Amino acid sequence: MSSSDAKKKQAILSLVREFGTLQKKSPFVPGQSAIPYGGRVYDENELCNLVDSALEFWLTAGRYARKFETEMAAYLGVKHCSLTNSGSLANLLAVAALTSPKLGPDALKAGDEVITVAAGFPTTVTPILQHGLVPVFIDVTLPTYNVDVTMLEAARSNKTRAVMLAHTLGNPFDVAAVKKFCDKHDLWLIEDNCDALGSTYKGKFTGTFGHIATQSFYPPHHMTMGEGGALFTNDPKLKRLIESFRDWGRDCWCPPGVDNSCKKRHTQQFGELPFGYDHKYVFSHFGYNLKVTDMQAAVGLAQLKKLSKFTEARKKNFKAIHEGLSKYADRLILPQATKDADPSWFGFLMTVREDACFTREQIVAHLEKNRIQTRMLFAGNLLRHPCFDPLRKAKTGYRVIGDLKNTDRIMNDTFWVGVYPGIDAARRREMLRAFSAFLDGRAR
Ligand SMILES: Cc1ncc(COP(=O)(O)O)c(C=O)c1O
């Protein structure tokens, strides 16, 4: 870049920085301003990175994406991070990678069973079905909202090959029990960390325990790049497979714009191709193109620098709301961290007690009327959704162990409110005021 171009770029970026600094947040008016469950928290640094990557006009995954992958992996303490376009696609790629014929007899194949839960987000389960695998559903426990590990053995059959679970709304599942089960029976573990970035279990970040873990960077999540996701693994072979499926199914692993990373580009034999066929165009899988753009990664990189602060803010909000609501524990089941876990909660989960003299719908309506946004625990019980109608009717394609009583309970009585870093002391006060206004007059 010529020095006059560099100067122009600096002038643009300093204007962008000024623009970002001048952005005024509208003042919070209790009772009138909305308190969303989540949202983007950013400043001029994200804007500058975004514009910088736009001016560079590389567009596809480039230097920002590589830097993000390196820094994210270092942050978590995992060997490899591969970016993709969403948490759902990260889950798809995680399952796809484990079907690779390159894994030999360890590869997942149609008809194999994967143990999971129905209380959560659909795309933890979707890729299992999309690959002809059979999800086996077990119940969760309250008030951790995570897999009931006492059901794992009952769910196992001679077809069980993997466990795929999310850390529910940031609360780590019982990693020790799940890992012990997986190790004992030689099962793959896919850890959906989409809602739990920054949570720890026995002092170690979640997202580092599974053979593959997945992440979402959709705006309300712990950090964002608009649309975005990632996969983490310590296994270089799995990283190669993930990126092959992500990048058209190719055998070559050159980053965009680079040739001959393998140093054998024209000197190898593949399948029935002529000897020396260009490795860049050798396809070992039926893959996709699920790469990110460098603009997304540039935003993510600025967010990553804020992640520790975001985590602190989430924990602080959670603690304050928990303390404020503890006097209503006879009416609301309050959330509880899994033993040995320190969650960075995605939200504050509550279940209306069976003997409370109000329903979830009533308290949710009251909070929404007071401009406090609420959410369900996503699908509640995924099996009761229309997407499961054909499978339910055909009585095939999945198995259920036990009665999923708590999963149904969650579908009927559970909801959550935000703890995201955009919530400050004034907003917390307003949230607690609204809860009190509803609950004080409604003793059990
Ligand atoms: C547990 C879980 N997994 C996966 C996803 C999907 O992430 P994305 O929205 O980035 O596709 C979500 C979405 O919030 C989620 O909660």
Side-chain angles (χ1 to χ4, degrees), residues 54-55 57 68 73 82 107 139 157 163 183 186 189 195 229 244 256-257 302 335 342 359 405 410:
L55 292 175
F57 211 65
F68 181 90
S82 309
D139 209 0
S157 77
V163 173
D183 291 347
D186 204 11
L189 173 59
D195 295 343
S244 171
D342 183 11
T359 63
K405 212 166 122 220
I410 288 168

Side-chain angles (χ1 to χ4, degrees), residues 85-89 91 120-121 123-124 166-167 169 192-195 214-218 221 227-229 346 378:
N85 254 305
S86 69
S88 304
L89 293 176
N91 283 342
F121 201 78
T123 55
T124 311
H167 300 293
L169 223 65
D192 180 335
N193 200 47
C194 286
D195 295 343
T214 61
Q215 199 64 58
S216 167
F217 301 121
Y218 189 66
H221 284 255
E227 297 293 349
F346 190 30
F378 308 122

